Amino acid sequence: MIHSLEAHACPVPDSGDSATITLAHGEGGRLMRRLIREHILTSIGNEFLTVLGDAAILPPLAGPLALSTDSFVVTPLFFPGGDIGSLAVYGTVNDIAVAGAVPRWMSLAWIIEEGLPVGTLIRVLASIADAAARTGVRVVTGDTKVVPRGTADLLYLNTTGVGEFIHAPPPGPAALVPGDRILVSGPIGRHGMAVMTCREGLAFQPPPTSDSAPLMDAVAALREANLPIRAIRDATRGGVAAVLHEWAEMSHRTLSIDENRLPVTPAVFGACEVLGLDPLFVANEGTMVVATTQESASDVLEVLHSVPETDQATVIGEVTDRAIAPVVVRRSLGRPMPLDEPLGAPLPRIC
Amino acid sequence: MIHSLEAHACPVPDSGDSATITLAHGEGGRLMRRLIREHILTSIGNEFLTVLGDAAILPPLAGPLALSTDSFVVTPLFFPGGDIGSLAVYGTVNDIAVAGAVPRWMSLAWIIEEGLPVGTLIRVLASIADAAARTGVRVVTGDTKVVPRGTADLLYLNTTGVGEFIHAPPPGPAALVPGDRILVSGPIGRHGMAVMTCREGLAFQPPPTSDSAPLMDAVAALREANLPIRAIRDATRGGVAAVLHEWAEMSHRTLSIDENRLPVTPAVFGACEVLGLDPLFVANEGTMVVATTQESASDVLEVLHSVPETDQATVIGEVTDRAIAPVVVRRSLGRPMPLDEPLGAPLPRIC
């Protein structure tokens, strides 16, 4: 299954190293320790990770803790706008941030398919190092397993993040009331379409680019502005539709979205049209849904527009009493139509 | 690669459910939420996990934190003495415990190969639930990914544990001085030989059984006895030999082991003889190495013998000034011989 790096429209980094990972690298002996010392510690080492103990020993945190885990099985490993390394860091940081906590530390576990070029590992590590530096999150403990050819697809990562609650988190979707406004922090569907078109070798012009990015600065800016935020959630698997359905279920309200107001890039619009996909169902990796009061919507927008990662935030709809369906979309013409709950897998292995 | 459950000497649980996991179960939609609600929450749910937020919200811990991550890629999933579920819980608990902390919470991330019987998932979940109950550790957050056939081998798990340091941890291997005694907490090499003989269909009588078990009670008993422990480490990948080499390197001493004193079960002894393996290099999953002062060795043994999981603990050697090699073994006949550092992979995918 070592085909992923050869897909058409995907950026394939120069490996720079002809060596490959062997099963022996995963067995806790000298080869594994050399791999860790020469490559992992040099790129992402810090005073916690360098100890290489069974467990990292970390200073106490004053507030409640946030804990979040994610595995990353994306193919290809490198795609327009990101790669599995930065995706893993930002994905974990975002889960912590939208829960209302400040990301502090993360673990990093590798499941490597025998035969992975060492150069690929080095490139992923460099990306992890960049993303960790950008977010201030430190990789403090790790694990490396190597499995035989044909029992993975080049590389899977797992990251588990620890955050600290310094302020009270938003009340959550149960607090939604009619009139509340629903915002998205940027154009939707970019990550899923970037990975898919590059994986399938579809030559769209312009090519969709992933939105993979950290949302912690945007969440912090909202907190500092002290605005009445009801709920925040990053719209990953299942897209914005999955968040809307979850919030509708937890609030017993209807979330009513205006199709004309959905921000979609020309690249995503074109690719979705050709492939018959609705961008509402396509995964994002640096885009969140925010609910706030009617009165505060414009202030929330102003704050989001001041942060680079969310400078295209926009209001897409509002909360109403429970109507014909949990989630409805006002299409360009005609009456509001129910929006289905994402059932399955339009796009497997996009994160 | 769905062959593993058919290996000869392996216990194959009755699946009890003819359904299989599909790619759609991993995509964040309705199928995935049903899987989580019907199976995962019913077996391991608690007030933290049940929220199903982006991140678990956990109460503050007073002391420093321990964080440890491990992926489990063992094949077969079920083996004499354990399975991937209990292995994942005990492995994480042990990493936290031997670091000197009290295990509190853990994350649980699934990478499932399309086609895994739902019954297998249910059996693994039951085992995780039992192990979590036995150790008091709570699964507070999780993630589920499904990858296409041929890109995993039935099931991989990742667990990341959070522990709390209530007492100061042992000083560690750098504190070793000549005369210190080296103990193991039970017969060595059981886990690796159990998995390997069952995977390869080797019909040894008696069959080796895994030592997979939690070590937190034993570590707590040592702490409560207030004995001068220098270092503790569970002897997983690379076996006891890997721990001895790490400690020798960090202490700049020689660790001298007496082959006659190494506890080895008849089953492991027989299997190792036939396969030409040294039990010192074979992985354990519920056996630790402990270093203490010469004077306290018998007291430490007494404490360990009072705990069920370590009731066969024994002294296997001592620390000396740096001699001919970092680790030496006094074989039955003749002079001490250097013990190699584990280089590679005698037994892949045993954890």
Side-chain angles (χ1 to χ4, degrees), chain B residues 89-343:
Chain B
V89 175
Y90 297 148
T92 295
V93 163
N94 290 348
D95 279 343
I96 299 284
V98 301
V102 179
R104 294 285 185 224
W105 305 303
M106 56 181 271
S107 63
L108 173 64
W110 305 73
I111 296 178
I112 303 174
E113 185 184 13
E114 176 190 16
L116 180 80
V118 171
T120 302
L121 183 105
I122 292 170
R123 293 297 302 253
V124 172
L125 264 168
S127 172
I128 290 171
D130 286 348
R134 177 172 171 187
T135 56
V137 169
R138 312 178 80 187
V139 177
V140 294
T141 192
D143 178 60
T144 308
K145 294 288 190 308
V146 182
V147 295
R149 282 174 205 274
T151 61
D153 190 5
L154 293 172
L155 175 62
Y156 301 147
L157 293 179
N158 175 280
T159 45
T160 303
V162 178
E164 182 178 17
F165 285 97
I166 295 173
H167 309 84
L176 292 176
V177 296
D180 283 350
R181 293 298 189 259
I182 309 294
L183 296 77
V184 293
S185 66
I188 65 174
R190 284 179 289 166
H191 178 71
M193 296 316 295
V195 172
M196 190 195 189
T197 57
C198 132
R199 179 164 75 206
E200 306 300 334
L202 304 171
F204 287 106
Q205 279 306 334
T209 302
S210 174
D211 61 329
S212 175
L215 291 166
M216 56 194 285
D217 289 349
V219 174
L222 288 176
R223 192 164 43 223
E224 280 154 26
N226 204 18
L227 293 166
I229 303 297
R230 306 278 199 214
I232 304 181
R233 184 124 193 190
D234 54 337
T236 54
R237 283 184 289 178
V240 169
V243 176
L244 298 176
H245 270 279
E246 237 182 87
W247 287 6
E249 189 183 322
M250 293 176 81
S251 66
H252 308 290
R253 311 288 184 184
T254 281
L255 274 62
S256 173
I257 301 306
D258 188 342
E259 188 177 48
N260 286 325
R261 305 176 80 170
L262 285 175
V264 180
T265 63
V268 168
F269 186 85
C272 279
E273 278 242 310
V274 170
L275 299 169
L277 294 169
D278 184 337
L280 277 169
F281 291 86
V282 179
N284 310 276
E285 284 291 343
T287 303
M288 59 187 180
V289 186
V290 179
T292 185
T293 62
Q294 181 175 355
E295 303 74 41
S296 298
S298 61
D299 291 338
V300 167
L301 273 185
E302 195 178 321
V303 170
L304 291 175
H305 291 166
S306 71
V307 178
E309 288 86 5
T310 55
D311 62 358
Q312 296 180 72
T314 185
V315 173
I316 63 167
E318 62 185 43
V319 179
T320 69
D321 283 322
R322 181 55 67 95
I324 51 162
V327 181
V328 298
V329 179
R330 289 191 299 270
R331 302 284 179 187
S332 308
L333 300 165
R335 293 184 306 152
M337 298 291 290
L339 183 74
D340 284 341
E341 186 179 357
L343 175 67

Side-chain angles (χ1 to χ4, degrees), chain A residues 22-336:
Chain A
T22 64
L23 286 174
H25 282 101
E27 294 307 312
R30 203 191 306 166
L31 276 176
M32 181 172 161
R33 280 158 64 193
R34 194 185 301 160
L35 178 77
I36 292 171
R37 294 231 162 95
E38 288 182 5
H39 296 304
I40 296 183
L41 290 187
T42 51
S43 59
I44 56 170
N46 54 58
E47 74 264 33
F48 304 111
L49 188 65
T50 304
V51 175
L52 295 180
D54 278 306
I57 302 177
L58 304 164
L61 295 178
L65 303 178
L67 190 71
S68 179
T69 192
D70 261 307
S71 298
F72 295 86
V73 298
V74 64
T75 181
L77 299 176
F78 302 86
F79 46 82
D83 60 73
I84 190 172
S86 53
L87 192 66
V89 175
Y90 297 147
T92 295
V93 162
N94 289 348
D95 279 344
I96 299 283
V98 300
V102 179
R104 294 285 187 224
W105 304 304
M106 55 180 273
S107 63
L108 174 63
W110 306 73
I111 296 178
I112 303 173
E113 185 184 12
E114 177 189 16
L116 180 79
V118 171
T120 303
L121 183 106
I122 292 170
R123 292 297 300 255
V124 172
L125 264 168
S127 173
I128 291 171
D130 286 347
R134 177 172 171 186
T135 57
V137 169
R138 310 178 81 186
V139 177
V140 295
T141 191
D143 179 59
T144 308
K145 294 287 190 306
V146 182
V147 295
R149 280 174 206 274
T151 61
D153 189 7
L154 293 171
L155 174 62
Y156 300 147
L157 294 179
N158 176 281
T159 45
T160 302
V162 178
E164 181 177 19
F165 285 98
I166 295 174
H167 310 84
L176 292 177
V177 296
D180 284 351
R181 293 298 188 260
I182 309 294
L183 296 77
V184 294
S185 66
I188 66 173
R190 284 179 290 166
H191 178 71
M193 294 318 296
V195 172
M196 190 197 190
T197 56
C198 131
R199 180 163 77 206
E200 305 301 334
L202 304 172
F204 288 105
Q205 279 305 334
T209 303
S210 174
D211 60 328
S212 174
L215 291 166
M216 55 194 287
D217 289 348
V219 175
L222 288 176
R223 190 164 46 224
E224 281 155 26
N226 205 20
L227 293 166
I229 302 298
R230 306 279 197 212
I232 304 181
R233 183 122 190 190
D234 53 339
T236 54
R237 285 184 288 178
V240 169
V243 176
L244 298 176
H245 271 279
E246 238 183 86
W247 287 7
E249 189 182 326
M250 294 177 81
S251 65
H252 308 289
R253 311 287 184 185
T254 281
L255 276 62
S256 174
I257 301 306
D258 187 342
E259 188 178 46
N260 286 326
R261 305 176 81 170
L262 285 175
V264 180
T265 63
V268 167
F269 185 84
C272 279
E273 277 242 311
V274 170
L275 299 168
L277 295 169
D278 184 338
L280 277 169
F281 291 85
V282 179
N284 311 277
E285 284 291 343
T287 303
M288 60 186 179
V289 186
V290 179
T292 186
T293 62
Q294 182 176 355
E295 303 74 42
S296 298
S298 61
D299 291 339
V300 167
L301 273 185
E302 194 178 323
V303 170
L304 291 175
H305 290 166
S306 71
V307 178
E309 289 86 4
T310 56
D311 61 358
Q312 295 178 73
T314 185
V315 173
I316 62 168
E318 61 185 43
V319 178
T320 69
D321 283 323
R322 179 57 65 97
I324 51 163
V327 181
V328 298
V329 178
R330 291 191 297 271
R331 303 284 179 188
S332 307
L333 301 165
R335 293 184 307 154

